[in-house]
Amino acid sequence: MLKKKSISAGKASLVLFLCQMISALDVPLDLSQPPTITQQSPKDYIVDPRENIVIQCEAKGKPPPSFSWTRNGTHFDIDKDAQVTMKPNSGTLVINIMNGGKAEAYEGVYQCTARNERGAAISNNIVIRPSRSPLWTKEKLEPNQVREGDSLVLHCRPPVGLPPPIIFWMDNAFQRLPQSERVSQGLNGDLYFSNVQPEDTREDYICYARFNHTQTIQQKQPISVKVFSAKPVTERQPVLLTPTGSTSTKVELRGNVLLLECIAAGLPTPVIRWIKEGGELPANRTFFENFKKTLKIIDVSEADSGNYKCIARNILGSAHHVISVTVKAAPYWITAPRNLVLSPGEDGTLICRANGNPKPNISWLANGVPIAIAPEDPSRKVDGDTIIFSHVQERSSAVYQCNASNEYGYLLANAFVNVLAEPPRILTPANKLYQVIADSPALLDCAYFGSPKPEIEWFKGVKGSILRGNEYVFHDNGTLEIPVAQKDSTGTYTCVARNELGKIQNEVQLEVKDPTMIIKQPEYKVIQRYGQVSFECIIKHDSTLLPTVIWLKDNNELPDDERFLVGKDNLTIMNVTDKDDGTYTCIVNTTLDSVSASAVLTVVARPNPPFDLELTGQLERSVELSWIPGDENNSPITNFVIEYEDGLHEPGVWHYQTEVPGTQTTVQLKLSPYVNYSFRVIAVNEIGRSQPSESSEQYLTKSANPDENPSNVQGIGSEPDNLVITWESLKGFQSNGPGLQYKVSWRQKDVDDEWTSVIVANVSKYIVSGTPTFVPYEIKVQALNDLGYAPEPSEVIGHSGEDLPMVAPGNVQVHVINSTLAKVHWDPVPLKSVRGHLQGYKVYYWKVQSLSRRSRRHVEKKILTFRGNKTFGMLPGLEPYSSYKLNVRVVNGKGEGPASPDKVFKTPEGVPSSPSFLKITNPTLDSLTLEWGSPTHPNGVLTSYILKFQPINNTHELGPLVEIRIPANESSLILKNLNYSTRYKFYFNAQTSVGSGSQITEEAVTIMDEGKMAMASRQVDIATQGWFIGLMCAVALLILILLIVCFIRRNKGGKYPVKEKEDAHADPEIQPMKEDDGTFGEYSDAEDHKPLKKGSRTPSDRTVKKEDSDDSLVDYGEGVNGQFNEDGSFIGQYSGKKEKEPAEGNESSEAPSPVNAMNSFV
């Protein structure tokens, strides 16, 4: 629910300007003008006799007028009365009552006259009357003794006061007496009883009269009423107590409130209805008060005249009364005379038109004197309600009074004729700024005066043309109206006033602003109680206007509560409660416009609990429950849940009974005998469940035979010679009466036996002893109470107690399927030997020994259970190459029978598990040592081990795979003829005659030459240094020069002493590593005749060849191709890692042949 309202200040200004049009030609006070009455006391002036009397009379004129008074038609000389003074520069009289004067002495009709040289204005006749609040006359009031059911009127008869008092009835405790259709107060103040009841008996019926003018309350003596009973009370048809008779008349004046009353007696209390004969009661002006006994029509007019009928009705009949209403009218204006400002020689008229019922008489006065005896004026002519002026002169100035009167009142109006010759003047301030909102009216004022009346023209801009056309409205008071102002209407507007005596102009400014808008309005919200809600109010406005935003709740200010948080663009309500429900309005005000938008907040919550639970129609097995729903809290009730309490059997425990739709407030409930019922109702809506209602009255149903028997009857023996009969007992409300017991009956099935029965107390078990072992019985359990038995129960089959089985399964056979699985068979035992419910068979089996190790260990028996009458089963998870035993036993509810003889079987060989470990030690340049452990589970006789290995290059690519078979009795191996600085991956597993087991893998790396490692390390350490690069360039250049020099000298037969220098300064880091100084060990080639590899020491003839003397950049850097990390550390770690790592792919590295590898066994 969203609504938006916008109020433009321009529209309000329009109304204001149009109202000012009436007085737009008021004569400025600096010009001569006759008097004008501006303020006077009301015609009927009731004064407080304890306070000073102030009779107002104010007037304006030029020159300022003088004042005089008449009292009761004669001159009132205030100078002769010390108690009366006139305010300075005013005609207001002050009569001093508080200092000794008496208000009654100044009652009368007063009239004020304001006079100057141009005329005299007079006030209304002001009737002064002091208010009166007299005491009640003392009277002896007899007690009222009334028969029950009769009517009664208690008369108030208040003293006559001025103004009339307000009447009300109270008791001695100053509490208002309750009123209803039966008892009510009439318009005359009397208290009417349509029929009296015993509760009307009391001694303090007191009528009070409140005189508001004097703020006093007068009290009548208490009236006593005693109602006596008269059986039987006689019912009566309606009789009107007021008004009496069948018809009456009523006269009311136009514009007043019409009150018509009908009060009737009767039993039962009559109901009043109103109609207008031959017409309809006026809509929107008709109201019913005092329990429809009073018809009220506001602002009556002549059209409301007619016959009004009131009808009083009860079940015995009706009575009616017709009131003939006539609406008269005191005089009222049709056209009141208005001031005339004329220039010499002009013509004009004064018009005085009034209406009334009867039609009023119109009379004229000039300067307070009847015009018939006033001084002659040749320029005027009286024509009934009009005075016509022709060719007026300055002496024609005067004040004329028009009096319209009939028997119900009079009207008096002053209007002057002021003859002036004045050039135009503009009264609106120069350069006045007007601001309006776009698309709203703009009203530019040009208040003026002049005589003759000036003509007004409007221009836009400094040199603009005269404004004409439908887009402008020119008012008689000089105002220019732009009905729909636009942004381009902004600018300067010039008003020009001219008459025959002159011309004048004035400029005003108009600014048109953008309207204020709410671009994000608050939206309808539904929120649960104690939640949080926000309303948005985002606005857009003219940048030159400063808006203010206020929030209202239900058109009133927001509650003074810290839960209401007003933000810049929103209103947030925290911890919402029910009282926050309502309409929230965002109002945005600027100096020019106002916009608003509203949204409704609905607070929802769980419903309030139902109340007024009532039980009706009580029967032995049913009752009707009714209730009144609680407040649904803005979320409709979907259903009602009815619960009951059994105060006899389970006090304090509530059970679900039924539920009904939310539109239903009664339900027929089915009941059980011998239950002390209480009911409660829970209302449910979308938010949740209400609190339970108050419980209803209790209802104890009569006892009866049980309707049902115990459930879940069973017969199961706990010992071989008994039968235990059990059942679920009836609940308390199922017993249907006191003395609940059970009749337990049994007999052996398939045997021609009689039923054996026993009656037991309210228990749930009975044991039959001395029964045969595990035989079937027919069993039944029947409920009974003090009133009789339940219906015949159904029979169930049970068994006496079980005993252990007597026979073991026979012909046990085992079929071995494979090394880990076997199948066992047996013959079933005879059912009679089971002596109970056959539950299945259990197979016990255990490993005696492993055939490969011949070693005994702790025997761990395993058990497999096969349900039902099964005669075979599979034995999984056996260990290969092992000896097992098993036996089979039958199982019933009591336990296991004897075991069958042990059956021996063996499992064949299987593949072994992986070797327990694989270690690679003692890495050298071309060999590795492998050590391993035998499989944890050989699963047979090991025949050999299989070793496979292959190199891995630096891109993780695998080289050729080599396979070696190793005798089963070996536990280590030295692999020779391997490539140095090479990573190898090894795969190792064991074999039996069945096949190969799972393998274990490891990786290892052979070591490289020590000298190359050290030099490479240095090279890596400094290779990235700038100074080193420069140094290497210089060394390379020097070597080149030396080579050239050497070559030249050699060609000349000379010698270059390089060898001696090498011998004298041999680098110790390129010497072979020794075992005792912590190095990797001696580097040895598998074949002594094998030539040196690239990058080794120089040949024995110590000659330096070009291709072998490129110094260390090739052999120690690129030659090993990534063998070192960037920090110079060696990649390969001899730790047997299993991850693949980059390995050197040296072109001279070749895998050793199987022959060489076999020859390297240790």
Side-chain angles (χ1 to χ4, degrees):
M1 180 178 177
L2 183 65
K3 62 179 181 178
K4 182 178 178 183
K5 181 172 64 174
S6 177
I7 302 174
S8 172
K11 293 181 180 178
S13 301
L14 174 62
V15 177
L16 176 63
F17 273 109
L18 295 181
C19 292
Q20 291 175 342
M21 287 174 58
I22 298 174
S23 57
L25 294 182
D26 282 354
V27 180
L29 285 177
D30 62 333
L31 298 178
S32 297
Q33 56 185 293
T36 300
I37 300 290
T38 58
Q39 192 173 7
Q40 58 184 317
S41 293
K43 293 178 181 179
D44 190 7
Y45 189 15
I46 298 175
V47 298
D48 190 333
R50 300 166 299 181
E51 297 179 354
N52 293 340
I53 301 174
V54 178
I55 310 175
Q56 291 184 327
C57 181
E58 304 289 343
K60 65 178 182 177
K62 185 66 182 285
S66 60
F67 297 90
S68 62
W69 285 87
T70 63
R71 177 184 175 191
N72 298 328
T74 61
H75 177 67
F76 182 35
D77 190 352
I78 61 176
D79 295 332
K80 293 183 179 180
D81 192 333
Q83 302 296 331
V84 182
T85 58
M86 185 183 296
K87 290 185 178 180
N89 303 317
S90 168
T92 298
L93 294 181
V94 178
I95 302 174
N96 195 335
I97 301 300
M98 300 179 69
N99 287 334
K102 291 187 177 181
E104 292 79 3
Y106 293 94
E107 286 191 64
V109 180
Y110 293 78
Q111 189 174 43
C112 169
T113 301
R115 185 186 308 275
N116 67 10
E117 62 188 30
R118 289 198 165 234
I122 61 176
S123 71
N124 292 322
N125 287 330
I126 302 171
V127 180
I128 302 295
R129 293 184 297 171
S131 65
R132 292 188 294 274
S133 53
L135 298 176
W136 247 289
T137 57
K138 290 187 177 181
E139 56 182 329
K140 185 177 181 181
L141 299 177
E142 297 293 334
N144 293 274
Q145 296 193 3
V146 192
R147 184 174 59 183
E148 181 181 354
D150 287 354
S151 62
L152 174 66
V153 179
L154 299 182
H155 297 287
C156 180
R157 298 191 183 98
V160 178
L162 186 68
I166 297 173
I167 306 301
F168 53 94
W169 290 80
M170 294 198 298
D171 58 16
N172 275 331
F174 297 100
Q175 298 297 314
R176 284 186 179 268
L177 296 175
Q179 298 191 20
S180 62
E181 290 184 342
R182 186 178 63 85
V183 181
S184 61
Q185 177 183 315
L187 294 176
N188 63 355
D190 293 346
L191 190 63
Y192 292 85
F193 294 78
S194 296
N195 52 81
V196 295
Q197 301 296 327
E199 60 265 24
D200 296 327
T201 298
R202 62 190 308 155
E203 297 180 351
D204 56 351
Y205 286 93
I206 305 175
C207 181
Y208 288 86
R210 183 174 66 216
F211 298 89
N212 284 343
H213 217 80
T214 57
Q215 298 181 348
T216 58
I217 296 178
Q218 304 292 349
Q219 173 185 338
K220 186 181 179 74
Q221 291 181 342
I223 302 175
S224 174
V225 174
K226 183 176 181 180
V227 180
F228 60 89
S229 297
K231 301 296 183 178
V233 178
T234 304
E235 293 185 339
R236 295 175 292 106
Q237 68 179 23
V239 175
L240 288 174
L241 297 175
T242 184
T244 58
S246 59
T247 62
S248 61
T249 60
K250 173 80 172 181
V251 176
E252 190 57 77
L253 292 181
R254 180 180 186 270
N256 287 356
V257 176
L258 173 65
L259 293 174
L260 304 178
E261 180 182 56
C262 275
I263 301 177
L267 184 67
T269 302
V271 176
I272 305 296
R273 186 169 65 92
W274 291 89
I275 60 173
K276 183 180 181 183
E277 293 183 342
E280 298 289 334
L281 295 175
N284 303 323
R285 295 189 293 116
T286 301
F287 303 92
F288 298 100
E289 297 179 345
N290 196 20
F291 308 98
K292 293 191 175 181
K293 299 175 185 179
T294 302
L295 172 65
K296 176 180 179 181
I297 301 176
I298 62 174
D299 192 22
V300 295
S301 65
E302 289 85 342
D304 295 321
S305 297
N307 293 331
Y308 292 82
K309 178 186 286 188
C310 69
I311 304 169
R313 185 184 304 276
N314 67 9
I315 59 176
L316 299 181
S318 64
H320 69 269
H321 184 92
V322 177
I323 305 174
S324 179
V325 175
T326 303
V327 178
K328 298 291 186 177
Y332 56 92
W333 290 119
I334 296 175
T335 303
R338 296 173 58 186
N339 293 336
L340 275 178
V341 178
L342 301 174
S343 62
E346 279 192 316
D347 302 335
T349 57
L350 288 178
I351 300 175
C352 176
R353 290 177 185 162
N355 202 358
N357 187 9
K359 189 174 181 62
N361 178 50
I362 303 295
S363 61
W364 288 96
L365 296 87
N367 295 323
V369 178
I371 201 166
I373 60 175
E376 288 289 336
D377 184 353
S379 65
R380 80 174 174 237
K381 177 184 177 182
V382 179
D383 185 7
D385 59 6
T386 304
I387 301 178
I388 303 171
F389 296 93
S390 304
H391 304 289
V392 296
Q393 301 301 319
E394 187 172 352
R395 65 177 179 275
S396 300
S397 296
V399 182
Y400 291 87
Q401 290 82 33
C402 172
N403 186 303
S405 60
N406 64 13
E407 59 186 285
Y408 298 108
Y410 74 93
L411 293 174
L412 177 69
N414 290 277
F416 65 66
V417 175
N418 195 14
V419 181
L420 293 172
E422 287 291 327
R425 63 171 68 182
I426 294 179
L427 307 178
T428 299
N431 293 312
K432 185 175 181 180
L433 176 63
Y434 293 90
Q435 294 178 326
V436 298
I437 294 297
D439 297 325
S440 62
L443 296 166
L444 308 182
D445 189 17
C446 184
Y448 65 91
F449 181 78
S451 184
K453 180 181 178 181
E455 294 181 358
I456 303 297
E457 294 177 328
W458 280 92
F459 301 84
K460 183 179 181 183
V462 180
K463 298 181 179 179
S465 58
I466 188 171
L467 298 180
R468 292 188 178 89
N470 295 331
E471 55 188 298
Y472 302 101
V473 178
F474 303 94
H475 294 284
D476 289 342
N477 65 349
T479 296
L480 170 65
E481 178 184 351
I482 306 174
V484 183
Q486 302 295 333
K487 294 288 282 187
D488 58 4
S489 302
T490 298
T492 301
Y493 290 80
T494 303
C495 164
V496 178
R498 58 165 59 91
N499 67 9
E500 61 189 37
L501 299 178
K503 166 187 172 184
I504 192 171
Q505 69 180 36
N506 186 37
E507 292 182 353
V508 294
Q509 307 297 323
L510 174 63
E511 292 181 357
V512 181
K513 307 290 186 179
D514 291 325
T516 304
M517 295 184 293
I518 300 177
I519 58 177
K520 179 66 174 177
Q521 302 178 6
E523 297 177 346
Y524 174 71
K525 295 291 179 69
V526 177
I527 190 70
Q528 287 192 30
R529 187 186 295 164
Y530 310 124
Q532 175 179 324
V533 67
S534 291
F535 291 106
E536 287 188 295
C537 186
I538 301 176
I539 64 173
K540 179 182 178 182
H541 61 90
D542 193 285
S543 58
T544 62
L545 299 177
L546 182 62
T548 58
V549 180
I550 59 174
W551 287 89
L552 301 179
K553 178 183 183 293
D554 298 329
N555 293 324
N556 295 311
E557 292 184 0
L558 290 178
D560 185 13
D561 192 329
E562 60 184 9
R563 297 181 301 107
F564 289 77
L565 306 177
V566 178
K568 178 183 177 184
D569 300 322
N570 58 57
L571 167 66
T572 301
I573 307 174
M574 313 286 291
N575 196 23
V576 172
T577 63
D578 291 339
K579 66 181 181 180
D580 299 329
D581 199 278
T583 301
Y584 289 84
T585 304
C586 166
I587 301 178
V588 185
N589 293 316
T590 68
T591 54
L592 299 181
D593 64 350
S594 175
V595 292
S596 65
S598 299
V600 171
L601 172 63
T602 299
V603 181
V604 296
R606 296 184 299 171
N608 292 350
F611 57 94
D612 282 357
L613 273 65
E614 183 179 5
L615 295 178
T616 56
Q618 290 91 339
L619 300 174
E620 290 185 3
R621 294 294 182 103
S622 68
V623 69
E624 183 174 89
L625 173 66
S626 61
W627 61 90
I628 297 176
D631 193 337
E632 63 184 16
N633 292 324
N634 296 320
S635 179
I637 296 174
T638 57
N639 57 291
F640 293 99
V641 177
I642 294 89
E643 296 180 340
Y644 72 92
E645 174 197 25
D646 181 2
L648 192 61
H649 303 98
E650 292 181 292
V653 179
W654 290 91
H655 301 276
Y656 173 85
Q657 172 89 7
T658 186
E659 60 184 84
V660 297
T663 56
Q664 188 173 327
T665 57
T666 60
V667 62
Q668 194 78 18
L669 300 174
K670 294 182 179 179
L671 307 180
S672 296
Y674 195 55
V675 176
N676 193 12
Y677 281 100
S678 292
F679 299 97
R680 68 183 186 184
V681 183
I682 299 171
V684 182
N685 62 11
E686 289 186 357
I687 310 305
R689 295 163 62 100
S690 73
Q691 292 293 321
S693 68
E694 295 291 331
S695 58
S696 69
E697 59 182 300
Q698 291 186 330
Y699 177 46
L700 177 62
T701 55
K702 294 182 179 180
S703 302
N705 294 6
D707 293 325
E708 52 190 308
N709 288 302
S711 59
N712 197 22
V713 177
Q714 293 181 340
I716 302 174
S718 60
E719 297 295 338
D721 60 349
N722 73 5
L723 171 66
V724 179
I725 302 173
T726 60
W727 59 90
E728 287 187 10
S729 300
L730 297 181
K731 295 182 179 178
F733 73 91
Q734 294 175 309
S735 66
N736 286 8
L740 177 63
Q741 294 178 301
Y742 300 100
K743 178 182 179 182
V744 184
S745 303
W746 68 92
R747 70 180 177 184
Q748 190 170 337
K749 190 175 183 295
D750 300 328
V751 177
D752 192 15
D753 281 351
E754 294 295 328
W755 286 95
T756 302
S757 300
V758 64
I759 294 179
V760 298
N762 187 11
V763 295
S764 60
K765 182 172 71 172
Y766 181 76
I767 300 175
V768 181
S769 302
T771 63
T773 300
F774 195 67
V775 295
Y777 279 86
E778 293 177 322
I779 304 168
K780 58 184 180 181
V781 180
Q782 184 178 23
L784 68 152
N785 61 18
D786 292 350
L787 279 78
Y789 286 87
E792 184 68 22
S794 58
E795 301 170 5
V796 299
I797 303 299
H799 288 79
S800 56
E802 300 179 68
D803 206 346
L804 293 176
M806 302 188 324
V807 178
N811 194 22
V812 177
Q813 301 291 331
V814 179
H815 172 59
V816 178
I817 297 175
N818 57 36
S819 61
T820 61
L821 181 66
K823 184 176 184 181
V824 59
H825 291 262
W826 62 89
D827 290 340
V829 299
L831 289 179
K832 288 187 177 181
S833 68
V834 177
R835 299 200 295 178
H837 294 285
L838 176 64
Q839 294 187 355
Y841 293 87
K842 286 187 178 181
V843 177
Y844 286 75
Y845 65 101
W846 61 96
K847 179 180 175 182
V848 178
Q849 66 177 14
S850 174
L851 298 178
S852 60
R853 296 183 178 177
R854 303 294 180 183
S855 61
R856 292 184 175 272
R857 61 175 183 174
H858 173 70
V859 176
E860 180 183 353
K861 290 188 177 182
K862 297 181 179 179
I863 304 172
L864 286 178
T865 300
F866 300 94
R867 298 290 179 186
N869 196 19
K870 204 170 184 182
T871 59
F872 67 91
M874 306 298 290
L875 304 180
L878 303 177
E879 293 185 15
Y881 205 49
S882 300
S883 176
Y884 281 88
K885 287 184 179 181
L886 66 77
N887 59 51
V888 185
R889 309 177 193 192
V890 67
V891 182
N892 68 8
K894 189 70 171 179
E896 300 175 4
S900 65
D902 291 346
K903 188 75 174 180
V904 179
F905 66 96
K906 296 179 181 179
T907 56
E909 286 189 87
V911 296
S913 63
S914 61
S916 57
F917 66 88
L918 174 63
K919 293 194 300 183
I920 304 175
T921 60
N922 299 328
T924 65
L925 290 174
D926 63 350
S927 68
L928 292 169
T929 301
L930 281 67
E931 297 177 357
W932 60 86
S934 60
T936 305
H937 302 286
N939 294 337
V941 178
L942 294 181
T943 58
S944 63
Y945 292 100
I946 302 299
L947 173 66
K948 298 177 183 179
F949 62 94
Q950 59 189 146
I952 306 174
N953 65 14
N954 60 339
T955 59
H956 302 283
E957 295 176 351
L958 299 174
L961 186 66
V962 177
E963 180 175 328
I964 302 173
R965 186 176 297 274
I966 305 170
N969 59 348
E970 297 292 343
S971 61
S972 64
L973 172 68
I974 297 176
L975 280 181
K976 297 184 178 181
N977 298 325
L978 303 178
N979 295 333
Y980 72 88
S981 187
T982 301
R983 179 176 293 279
Y984 288 90
K985 185 167 186 178
F986 298 90
Y987 311 90
F988 193 68
N989 61 342
Q991 281 188 332
T992 64
S993 60
V994 177
S996 299
S998 57
Q999 63 185 11
I1000 185 171
T1001 63
E1002 284 292 346
E1003 292 184 12
V1005 182
T1006 57
I1007 65 174
M1008 69 178 296
D1009 184 270
E1010 179 186 294
K1012 294 182 179 180
M1013 183 184 299
M1015 294 181 69
S1017 178
R1018 289 198 302 271
Q1019 180 251 339
V1020 173
D1021 289 340
I1022 62 176
T1024 58
Q1025 304 299 317
W1027 62 269
F1028 177 73
I1029 296 173
L1031 178 60
M1032 288 299 101
C1033 291
V1035 170
L1037 180 59
L1038 180 59
I1039 292 175
L1040 179 60
I1041 295 173
L1042 289 176
L1043 289 175
I1044 295 174
V1045 172
C1046 182
F1047 179 74
I1048 295 174
R1049 290 183 60 123
R1050 185 174 182 179
N1051 287 340
K1052 292 183 179 181
K1055 294 182 178 179
Y1056 183 67
V1058 175
K1059 177 183 180 301
E1060 291 79 5
K1061 291 183 180 181
E1062 283 184 343
D1063 292 340
H1065 302 89
D1067 192 341
E1069 293 184 4
I1070 64 173
Q1071 300 301 318
M1073 298 180 185
K1074 307 298 181 184
E1075 292 183 4
D1076 56 354
D1077 52 347
T1079 59
F1080 290 108
E1082 183 179 1
Y1083 184 100
S1084 63
D1085 203 316
E1087 300 177 16
D1088 295 337
H1089 62 275
K1090 193 172 184 179
L1092 289 173
K1093 297 177 183 178
K1094 184 178 181 180
S1096 62
R1097 300 289 299 275
T1098 57
S1100 58
D1101 60 356
R1102 301 190 182 276
T1103 59
V1104 179
K1105 295 182 180 179
K1106 189 175 188 302
E1107 62 272 17
D1108 294 330
S1109 61
D1110 290 344
D1111 208 47
S1112 61
L1113 290 177
V1114 174
D1115 291 334
Y1116 300 143
E1118 304 297 332
V1120 294
N1121 193 15
Q1123 186 63 32
F1124 296 89
N1125 284 329
E1126 290 181 355
D1127 60 356
S1129 62
F1130 186 51
I1131 293 177
Q1133 301 295 323
Y1134 301 102
S1135 60
K1137 291 184 180 177
K1138 296 182 180 180
E1139 300 87 354
K1140 290 184 178 181
E1141 296 181 7
E1144 175 59 40
N1146 197 309
E1147 64 274 9
S1148 64
S1149 299
E1150 296 179 359
S1153 66
V1155 177
N1156 291 337
M1158 290 297 292
N1159 291 336
S1160 65
F1161 287 163
V1162 177

